[in-house]
Amino acid sequence: MTKPGRALPVGGAFLLTDILQNLPAPQVSERRDPHPSRMQMPQGNPLLLSYTLQELLARDTVQVELIPEKKGLFLKHVEYEVSSQRFRSSVYRRYNDFVVFHEMLLQKFPYRMVPALPPKRVLGADREFIEARRRALRRFINLVARHPPFSEDVALRLFLSFSGPDVQNKLKESAQCVGDEFMSCKLAPRAKDFLPADIQTQFAVSRELIRNIYNSFHKLRDRAERIASRAIDNAADLLIFGKELSALGSDTTPLPSWATLHSSTWGSLKQALKGLSVEFALLADKAAQQGKQEENDVVEKLNLFLDLLQSYKDLCERHEKGVLHKHQRALHKYSLMKRQMMSAAVQSREPDSVEQLESRIVEQENAIQTMELRGYFSLYCLHQEMQLVHVYLPLTSHILGAFVNSQIQGHKEMSKVWNDLKPKLNCLFAGPSGSPTPPRLPQDGVSPR
């Protein structure tokens, strides 16, 4: 009990030596240099995950569909139909139900990647906002349904299958007297036994890696959105282009007398232009299909992966601002108690007051020990969550494959329509003899001499 205070090893948490110098250290387990055998992860180590991307995706697929707005007494509210393949269920949920479910996940799994929810509805929210939020809710619930610890929790089962009148109270009841994952996990007190000796270095490197990957994927998502948006804009332009040609061909304005010499030419042109709207409408449809497909198969998958990466970044912040910060505060409080104890011993205070101080110090030592164990368990979970992120990395090949296939298929189908359209333009190029003579356009805006 007379050793000088020394830094405790939890996640980089430490007490400044000038605070604890010459003070007895709390009786908590200190980190020792690991035995060489501990450095080699034994087979079957619970720290290691053995899932593949296909196994995660096969856990469940959840659809979130918007159902028509219902009018309440004062405001309209949005309701969703949430359908789970795994539970063969279909339930109705409101946004606030997702909020309570999200809170329960954070309460039960504070050291895991809990994806963020999209923002609440704002005044004057338009269809675009509502659709974007629906997609975000679908990504959220699918990431949760496929997360190994979450997928086995009763809260998920309730959220996806309970069809009673008040799912929020049911969720809250399920969390009562349960405690978080640290309290219920049998391996939690031994988490540090499975951690590599350089866990702090690994954590720092992993955090930097995720930050870089996130930034790159964020840029990719933005470009993919623009590409898909351009395809949809192109569809609208093609449709209008065809309609304008059709309107030109349907014009009934009589020809002036001075143009009667070429009246047959204008009549033929009008007839040809009138029928072109069908092909341009088909081109517009193909372009719109390509844009929608890239929104669903490319942009949405990129958003899903970004949501996952963001949840890891959020978890890192909770790790540093949560358990580590509390640990530092507890150590600081402990040092103050020790100073009071030393002062009481010097001043020969009443035995009862000294005994109370000793009791508080023992209680604080136990709190510090618990926080130290929580710190190790938090690192244990962070290590597993990083592995889970890497399990999702092959999703990149799925995204690129979907993008390439969409481009190939889209250009192929549109090329066929353009080729089918070309023969119908022959009469537009017909010369005096009636044979097609496509005009030779001037180059660089300079008319040929």
mmCIF file of all heavy atoms in Angstrom, residues 359-394:
data_model
loop_
_atom_site.group_PDB
_atom_site.id
_atom_site.type_symbol
_atom_site.label_atom_id
_atom_site.label_comp_id
_atom_site.label_asym_id
_atom_site.label_seq_id
_atom_site.Cartn_x
_atom_site.Cartn_y
_atom_site.Cartn_z
ATOM 1 N N SER A 359 -13.864 3.476 4.245
ATOM 2 C CA SER A 359 -14.931 2.780 3.543
ATOM 3 C C SER A 359 -15.144 3.376 2.153
ATOM 4 O O SER A 359 -15.321 2.658 1.167
ATOM 5 C CB SER A 359 -16.223 2.866 4.350
ATOM 6 O OG SER A 359 -17.303 2.276 3.648
ATOM 7 N N ARG A 360 -15.100 4.721 2.073
ATOM 8 C CA ARG A 360 -15.266 5.375 0.779
ATOM 9 C C ARG A 360 -14.110 5.056 -0.159
ATOM 10 O O ARG A 360 -14.290 4.883 -1.363
ATOM 11 C CB ARG A 360 -15.378 6.890 0.974
ATOM 12 C CG ARG A 360 -16.712 7.343 1.570
ATOM 13 C CD ARG A 360 -16.669 8.820 1.919
ATOM 14 N NE ARG A 360 -16.349 9.638 0.748
ATOM 15 C CZ ARG A 360 -15.911 10.893 0.817
ATOM 16 N NH1 ARG A 360 -15.720 11.461 2.006
ATOM 17 N NH2 ARG A 360 -15.656 11.567 -0.287
ATOM 18 N N ILE A 361 -12.911 4.949 0.399
ATOM 19 C CA ILE A 361 -11.739 4.637 -0.415
ATOM 20 C C ILE A 361 -11.837 3.223 -0.975
ATOM 21 O O ILE A 361 -11.553 2.969 -2.151
ATOM 22 C CB ILE A 361 -10.448 4.814 0.412
ATOM 23 C CG1 ILE A 361 -10.185 6.308 0.629
ATOM 24 C CG2 ILE A 361 -9.257 4.159 -0.272
ATOM 25 C CD1 ILE A 361 -9.036 6.614 1.562
ATOM 26 N N VAL A 362 -12.263 2.287 -0.138
ATOM 27 C CA VAL A 362 -12.437 0.903 -0.613
ATOM 28 C C VAL A 362 -13.493 0.845 -1.715
ATOM 29 O O VAL A 362 -13.332 0.159 -2.733
ATOM 30 C CB VAL A 362 -12.829 -0.021 0.569
ATOM 31 C CG1 VAL A 362 -13.238 -1.398 0.051
ATOM 32 C CG2 VAL A 362 -11.671 -0.144 1.550
ATOM 33 N N GLU A 363 -14.576 1.600 -1.512
ATOM 34 C CA GLU A 363 -15.645 1.641 -2.524
ATOM 35 C C GLU A 363 -15.124 2.225 -3.831
ATOM 36 O O GLU A 363 -15.439 1.728 -4.922
ATOM 37 C CB GLU A 363 -16.793 2.495 -1.982
ATOM 38 C CG GLU A 363 -18.017 2.528 -2.882
ATOM 39 C CD GLU A 363 -19.136 3.351 -2.263
ATOM 40 O OE1 GLU A 363 -19.275 3.356 -1.025
ATOM 41 O OE2 GLU A 363 -19.861 4.003 -3.037
ATOM 42 N N GLN A 364 -14.290 3.262 -3.712
ATOM 43 C CA GLN A 364 -13.732 3.880 -4.915
ATOM 44 C C GLN A 364 -12.752 2.941 -5.606
ATOM 45 O O GLN A 364 -12.678 2.900 -6.841
ATOM 46 C CB GLN A 364 -13.038 5.195 -4.553
ATOM 47 C CG GLN A 364 -12.601 6.031 -5.756
ATOM 48 C CD GLN A 364 -13.772 6.562 -6.553
ATOM 49 O OE1 GLN A 364 -14.916 6.455 -6.140
ATOM 50 N NE2 GLN A 364 -13.487 7.130 -7.719
ATOM 51 N N GLU A 365 -11.982 2.188 -4.833
ATOM 52 C CA GLU A 365 -11.071 1.196 -5.420
ATOM 53 C C GLU A 365 -11.830 0.160 -6.225
ATOM 54 O O GLU A 365 -11.419 -0.231 -7.322
ATOM 55 C CB GLU A 365 -10.256 0.522 -4.322
ATOM 56 C CG GLU A 365 -9.180 1.409 -3.718
ATOM 57 C CD GLU A 365 -8.482 0.741 -2.547
ATOM 58 O OE1 GLU A 365 -8.977 -0.312 -2.086
ATOM 59 O OE2 GLU A 365 -7.446 1.262 -2.087
ATOM 60 N N ASN A 366 -12.967 -0.278 -5.692
ATOM 61 C CA ASN A 366 -13.791 -1.244 -6.426
ATOM 62 C C ASN A 366 -14.341 -0.635 -7.716
ATOM 63 O O ASN A 366 -14.399 -1.300 -8.755
ATOM 64 C CB ASN A 366 -14.951 -1.721 -5.545
ATOM 65 C CG ASN A 366 -14.486 -2.563 -4.380
ATOM 66 O OD1 ASN A 366 -13.435 -3.200 -4.454
ATOM 67 N ND2 ASN A 366 -15.239 -2.562 -3.292
ATOM 68 N N ALA A 367 -14.734 0.647 -7.641
ATOM 69 C CA ALA A 367 -15.244 1.326 -8.837
ATOM 70 C C ALA A 367 -14.155 1.435 -9.898
ATOM 71 O O ALA A 367 -14.395 1.227 -11.087
ATOM 72 C CB ALA A 367 -15.783 2.709 -8.477
ATOM 73 N N ILE A 368 -12.939 1.746 -9.464
ATOM 74 C CA ILE A 368 -11.818 1.862 -10.403
ATOM 75 C C ILE A 368 -11.522 0.513 -11.047
ATOM 76 O O ILE A 368 -11.268 0.415 -12.247
ATOM 77 C CB ILE A 368 -10.570 2.408 -9.680
ATOM 78 C CG1 ILE A 368 -10.801 3.873 -9.297
ATOM 79 C CG2 ILE A 368 -9.335 2.285 -10.555
ATOM 80 C CD1 ILE A 368 -9.718 4.450 -8.423
ATOM 81 N N GLN A 369 -11.571 -0.533 -10.236
ATOM 82 C CA GLN A 369 -11.316 -1.862 -10.779
ATOM 83 C C GLN A 369 -12.370 -2.226 -11.829
ATOM 84 O O GLN A 369 -12.043 -2.784 -12.877
ATOM 85 C CB GLN A 369 -11.310 -2.899 -9.656
ATOM 86 C CG GLN A 369 -10.940 -4.300 -10.153
ATOM 87 C CD GLN A 369 -10.791 -5.285 -9.011
ATOM 88 O OE1 GLN A 369 -11.354 -5.098 -7.949
ATOM 89 N NE2 GLN A 369 -10.025 -6.329 -9.234
ATOM 90 N N THR A 370 -13.630 -1.910 -11.533
ATOM 91 C CA THR A 370 -14.697 -2.188 -12.504
ATOM 92 C C THR A 370 -14.483 -1.397 -13.788
ATOM 93 O O THR A 370 -14.656 -1.921 -14.896
ATOM 94 C CB THR A 370 -16.071 -1.835 -11.903
ATOM 95 O OG1 THR A 370 -16.281 -2.635 -10.733
ATOM 96 C CG2 THR A 370 -17.191 -2.090 -12.896
ATOM 97 N N MET A 371 -14.097 -0.134 -13.652
ATOM 98 C CA MET A 371 -13.858 0.682 -14.839
ATOM 99 C C MET A 371 -12.670 0.172 -15.638
ATOM 100 O O MET A 371 -12.656 0.228 -16.868
ATOM 101 C CB MET A 371 -13.637 2.143 -14.429
ATOM 102 C CG MET A 371 -14.895 2.831 -13.938
ATOM 103 S SD MET A 371 -14.571 4.519 -13.424
ATOM 104 C CE MET A 371 -16.085 4.884 -12.528
ATOM 105 N N GLU A 372 -11.662 -0.312 -14.927
ATOM 106 C CA GLU A 372 -10.513 -0.876 -15.626
ATOM 107 C C GLU A 372 -10.941 -2.085 -16.457
ATOM 108 O O GLU A 372 -10.557 -2.225 -17.621
ATOM 109 C CB GLU A 372 -9.432 -1.284 -14.633
ATOM 110 C CG GLU A 372 -8.179 -1.833 -15.319
ATOM 111 C CD GLU A 372 -7.175 -2.378 -14.324
ATOM 112 O OE1 GLU A 372 -7.619 -2.899 -13.283
ATOM 113 O OE2 GLU A 372 -5.972 -2.288 -14.591
ATOM 114 N N LEU A 373 -11.761 -2.946 -15.855
ATOM 115 C CA LEU A 373 -12.256 -4.116 -16.582
ATOM 116 C C LEU A 373 -13.142 -3.704 -17.752
ATOM 117 O O LEU A 373 -13.098 -4.304 -18.830
ATOM 118 C CB LEU A 373 -13.032 -5.030 -15.630
ATOM 119 C CG LEU A 373 -12.210 -5.710 -14.536
ATOM 120 C CD1 LEU A 373 -13.115 -6.503 -13.595
ATOM 121 C CD2 LEU A 373 -11.142 -6.616 -15.136
ATOM 122 N N ARG A 374 -13.947 -2.669 -17.526
ATOM 123 C CA ARG A 374 -14.771 -2.164 -18.620
ATOM 124 C C ARG A 374 -13.901 -1.608 -19.752
ATOM 125 O O ARG A 374 -14.230 -1.737 -20.927
ATOM 126 C CB ARG A 374 -15.727 -1.076 -18.120
ATOM 127 C CG ARG A 374 -16.982 -1.625 -17.447
ATOM 128 C CD ARG A 374 -17.967 -0.519 -17.122
ATOM 129 N NE ARG A 374 -19.218 -1.051 -16.591
ATOM 130 C CZ ARG A 374 -20.251 -1.413 -17.340
ATOM 131 N NH1 ARG A 374 -20.182 -1.292 -18.667
ATOM 132 N NH2 ARG A 374 -21.347 -1.884 -16.786
ATOM 133 N N GLY A 375 -12.811 -0.972 -19.388
ATOM 134 C CA GLY A 375 -11.893 -0.447 -20.399
ATOM 135 C C GLY A 375 -11.340 -1.543 -21.275
ATOM 136 O O GLY A 375 -11.267 -1.412 -22.501
ATOM 137 N N TYR A 376 -10.925 -2.639 -20.652
ATOM 138 C CA TYR A 376 -10.429 -3.778 -21.423
ATOM 139 C C TYR A 376 -11.536 -4.390 -22.281
ATOM 140 O O TYR A 376 -11.315 -4.766 -23.433
ATOM 141 C CB TYR A 376 -9.857 -4.850 -20.482
ATOM 142 C CG TYR A 376 -8.487 -4.519 -19.953
ATOM 143 C CD1 TYR A 376 -8.269 -4.392 -18.585
ATOM 144 C CD2 TYR A 376 -7.405 -4.351 -20.809
ATOM 145 C CE1 TYR A 376 -7.002 -4.088 -18.083
ATOM 146 C CE2 TYR A 376 -6.140 -4.052 -20.326
ATOM 147 C CZ TYR A 376 -5.941 -3.922 -18.960
ATOM 148 O OH TYR A 376 -4.699 -3.618 -18.488
ATOM 149 N N PHE A 377 -12.738 -4.479 -21.716
ATOM 150 C CA PHE A 377 -13.843 -5.058 -22.480
ATOM 151 C C PHE A 377 -14.201 -4.158 -23.659
ATOM 152 O O PHE A 377 -14.537 -4.642 -24.751
ATOM 153 C CB PHE A 377 -15.064 -5.258 -21.583
ATOM 154 C CG PHE A 377 -16.217 -5.938 -22.276
ATOM 155 C CD1 PHE A 377 -16.121 -7.249 -22.699
ATOM 156 C CD2 PHE A 377 -17.398 -5.247 -22.521
ATOM 157 C CE1 PHE A 377 -17.173 -7.882 -23.349
ATOM 158 C CE2 PHE A 377 -18.466 -5.861 -23.160
ATOM 159 C CZ PHE A 377 -18.353 -7.179 -23.578
ATOM 160 N N SER A 378 -14.118 -2.847 -23.461
ATOM 161 C CA SER A 378 -14.368 -1.914 -24.555
ATOM 162 C C SER A 378 -13.362 -2.127 -25.681
ATOM 163 O O SER A 378 -13.722 -2.147 -26.867
ATOM 164 C CB SER A 378 -14.301 -0.479 -24.042
ATOM 165 O OG SER A 378 -14.524 0.441 -25.081
ATOM 166 N N LEU A 379 -12.092 -2.311 -25.336
ATOM 167 C CA LEU A 379 -11.065 -2.589 -26.349
ATOM 168 C C LEU A 379 -11.307 -3.938 -27.017
ATOM 169 O O LEU A 379 -11.092 -4.093 -28.221
ATOM 170 C CB LEU A 379 -9.680 -2.565 -25.703
ATOM 171 C CG LEU A 379 -9.148 -1.175 -25.329
ATOM 172 C CD1 LEU A 379 -7.920 -1.301 -24.449
ATOM 173 C CD2 LEU A 379 -8.840 -0.370 -26.577
ATOM 174 N N TYR A 380 -11.743 -4.891 -26.232
ATOM 175 C CA TYR A 380 -12.089 -6.215 -26.765
ATOM 176 C C TYR A 380 -13.173 -6.083 -27.843
ATOM 177 O O TYR A 380 -13.071 -6.642 -28.934
ATOM 178 C CB TYR A 380 -12.560 -7.090 -25.607
ATOM 179 C CG TYR A 380 -13.160 -8.432 -25.976
ATOM 180 C CD1 TYR A 380 -12.366 -9.576 -26.043
ATOM 181 C CD2 TYR A 380 -14.523 -8.565 -26.221
ATOM 182 C CE1 TYR A 380 -12.915 -10.814 -26.350
ATOM 183 C CE2 TYR A 380 -15.082 -9.797 -26.525
ATOM 184 C CZ TYR A 380 -14.278 -10.905 -26.596
ATOM 185 O OH TYR A 380 -14.824 -12.127 -26.913
ATOM 186 N N CYS A 381 -14.211 -5.307 -27.526
ATOM 187 C CA CYS A 381 -15.312 -5.120 -28.483
ATOM 188 C C CYS A 381 -14.843 -4.330 -29.698
ATOM 189 O O CYS A 381 -15.228 -4.638 -30.832
ATOM 190 C CB CYS A 381 -16.481 -4.409 -27.805
ATOM 191 S SG CYS A 381 -17.302 -5.392 -26.531
ATOM 192 N N LEU A 382 -14.017 -3.303 -29.474
ATOM 193 C CA LEU A 382 -13.491 -2.525 -30.586
ATOM 194 C C LEU A 382 -12.698 -3.403 -31.554
ATOM 195 O O LEU A 382 -12.788 -3.246 -32.772
ATOM 196 C CB LEU A 382 -12.589 -1.401 -30.062
ATOM 197 C CG LEU A 382 -13.267 -0.072 -29.748
ATOM 198 C CD1 LEU A 382 -12.351 0.799 -28.900
ATOM 199 C CD2 LEU A 382 -13.642 0.652 -31.030
ATOM 200 N N HIS A 383 -11.940 -4.324 -30.989
ATOM 201 C CA HIS A 383 -11.161 -5.247 -31.819
ATOM 202 C C HIS A 383 -12.098 -6.094 -32.674
ATOM 203 O O HIS A 383 -11.857 -6.301 -33.872
ATOM 204 C CB HIS A 383 -10.292 -6.131 -30.915
ATOM 205 C CG HIS A 383 -9.164 -6.818 -31.625
ATOM 206 N ND1 HIS A 383 -9.370 -7.779 -32.582
ATOM 207 C CD2 HIS A 383 -7.816 -6.677 -31.513
ATOM 208 C CE1 HIS A 383 -8.196 -8.213 -33.023
ATOM 209 N NE2 HIS A 383 -7.244 -7.548 -32.394
ATOM 210 N N GLN A 384 -13.163 -6.585 -32.080
ATOM 211 C CA GLN A 384 -14.123 -7.397 -32.828
ATOM 212 C C GLN A 384 -14.869 -6.571 -33.875
ATOM 213 O O GLN A 384 -15.111 -7.035 -34.995
ATOM 214 C CB GLN A 384 -15.127 -8.039 -31.870
ATOM 215 C CG GLN A 384 -14.560 -9.207 -31.080
ATOM 216 C CD GLN A 384 -15.647 -10.057 -30.460
ATOM 217 O OE1 GLN A 384 -16.710 -9.556 -30.090
ATOM 218 N NE2 GLN A 384 -15.397 -11.344 -30.346
ATOM 219 N N GLU A 385 -15.237 -5.346 -33.496
ATOM 220 C CA GLU A 385 -15.988 -4.505 -34.436
ATOM 221 C C GLU A 385 -15.131 -4.137 -35.643
ATOM 222 O O GLU A 385 -15.635 -4.033 -36.760
ATOM 223 C CB GLU A 385 -16.491 -3.245 -33.730
ATOM 224 C CG GLU A 385 -17.434 -3.514 -32.565
ATOM 225 C CD GLU A 385 -18.681 -4.283 -32.984
ATOM 226 O OE1 GLU A 385 -19.646 -3.654 -33.428
ATOM 227 O OE2 GLU A 385 -18.674 -5.523 -32.868
ATOM 228 N N MET A 386 -13.830 -3.936 -35.430
ATOM 229 C CA MET A 386 -12.948 -3.674 -36.567
ATOM 230 C C MET A 386 -12.912 -4.874 -37.507
ATOM 231 O O MET A 386 -12.934 -4.724 -38.737
ATOM 232 C CB MET A 386 -11.536 -3.345 -36.060
ATOM 233 C CG MET A 386 -10.471 -3.325 -37.155
ATOM 234 S SD MET A 386 -10.858 -2.245 -38.535
ATOM 235 C CE MET A 386 -10.351 -0.669 -37.911
ATOM 236 N N GLN A 387 -12.901 -6.081 -36.931
ATOM 237 C CA GLN A 387 -12.953 -7.275 -37.773
ATOM 238 C C GLN A 387 -14.249 -7.316 -38.577
ATOM 239 O O GLN A 387 -14.262 -7.708 -39.748
ATOM 240 C CB GLN A 387 -12.844 -8.531 -36.905
ATOM 241 C CG GLN A 387 -11.495 -8.704 -36.219
ATOM 242 C CD GLN A 387 -11.491 -9.918 -35.308
ATOM 243 O OE1 GLN A 387 -11.592 -11.049 -35.767
ATOM 244 N NE2 GLN A 387 -11.387 -9.685 -34.012
ATOM 245 N N LEU A 388 -15.335 -6.894 -37.937
ATOM 246 C CA LEU A 388 -16.630 -6.889 -38.617
ATOM 247 C C LEU A 388 -16.615 -5.918 -39.794
ATOM 248 O O LEU A 388 -17.179 -6.206 -40.860
ATOM 249 C CB LEU A 388 -17.727 -6.498 -37.622
ATOM 250 C CG LEU A 388 -19.167 -6.843 -38.012
ATOM 251 C CD1 LEU A 388 -19.342 -8.334 -38.227
ATOM 252 C CD2 LEU A 388 -20.137 -6.344 -36.957
ATOM 253 N N VAL A 389 -15.972 -4.763 -39.619
ATOM 254 C CA VAL A 389 -15.834 -3.815 -40.727
ATOM 255 C C VAL A 389 -15.099 -4.473 -41.891
ATOM 256 O O VAL A 389 -15.487 -4.323 -43.055
ATOM 257 C CB VAL A 389 -15.091 -2.544 -40.266
ATOM 258 C CG1 VAL A 389 -14.742 -1.667 -41.460
ATOM 259 C CG2 VAL A 389 -15.944 -1.755 -39.279
ATOM 260 N N HIS A 390 -14.045 -5.213 -41.577
ATOM 261 C CA HIS A 390 -13.272 -5.866 -42.634
ATOM 262 C C HIS A 390 -14.062 -6.988 -43.306
ATOM 263 O O HIS A 390 -13.839 -7.267 -44.485
ATOM 264 C CB HIS A 390 -11.949 -6.395 -42.069
ATOM 265 C CG HIS A 390 -10.905 -5.333 -41.929
ATOM 266 N ND1 HIS A 390 -9.981 -5.054 -42.908
ATOM 267 C CD2 HIS A 390 -10.660 -4.444 -40.935
ATOM 268 C CE1 HIS A 390 -9.208 -4.061 -42.522
ATOM 269 N NE2 HIS A 390 -9.599 -3.674 -41.317
ATOM 270 N N VAL A 391 -14.979 -7.597 -42.573
ATOM 271 C CA VAL A 391 -15.849 -8.598 -43.205
ATOM 272 C C VAL A 391 -16.719 -7.937 -44.277
ATOM 273 O O VAL A 391 -17.021 -8.544 -45.303
ATOM 274 C CB VAL A 391 -16.736 -9.291 -42.143
ATOM 275 C CG1 VAL A 391 -17.765 -10.204 -42.811
ATOM 276 C CG2 VAL A 391 -15.873 -10.118 -41.181
ATOM 277 N N TYR A 392 -17.099 -6.691 -44.046
ATOM 278 C CA TYR A 392 -17.936 -5.958 -45.002
ATOM 279 C C TYR A 392 -17.149 -5.391 -46.178
ATOM 280 O O TYR A 392 -17.739 -4.974 -47.177
ATOM 281 C CB TYR A 392 -18.664 -4.808 -44.300
ATOM 282 C CG TYR A 392 -20.012 -5.182 -43.736
ATOM 283 C CD1 TYR A 392 -20.160 -5.524 -42.395
ATOM 284 C CD2 TYR A 392 -21.155 -5.194 -44.536
ATOM 285 C CE1 TYR A 392 -21.399 -5.859 -41.863
ATOM 286 C CE2 TYR A 392 -22.392 -5.523 -44.023
ATOM 287 C CZ TYR A 392 -22.513 -5.857 -42.676
ATOM 288 O OH TYR A 392 -23.741 -6.191 -42.168
ATOM 289 N N LEU A 393 -15.818 -5.340 -46.084
ATOM 290 C CA LEU A 393 -15.019 -4.728 -47.149
ATOM 291 C C LEU A 393 -15.247 -5.354 -48.534
ATOM 292 O O LEU A 393 -15.249 -4.620 -49.526
ATOM 293 C CB LEU A 393 -13.537 -4.776 -46.787
ATOM 294 C CG LEU A 393 -13.032 -3.637 -45.898
ATOM 295 C CD1 LEU A 393 -11.591 -3.878 -45.485
ATOM 296 C CD2 LEU A 393 -13.161 -2.298 -46.615
ATOM 297 N N PRO A 394 -15.422 -6.689 -48.661
ATOM 298 C CA PRO A 394 -15.685 -7.240 -49.997
ATOM 299 C C PRO A 394 -16.950 -6.705 -50.656
ATOM 300 O O PRO A 394 -17.170 -6.935 -51.846
ATOM 301 C CB PRO A 394 -15.815 -8.755 -49.729
ATOM 302 C CG PRO A 394 -15.016 -8.991 -48.495
ATOM 303 C CD PRO A 394 -15.217 -7.756 -47.659
#
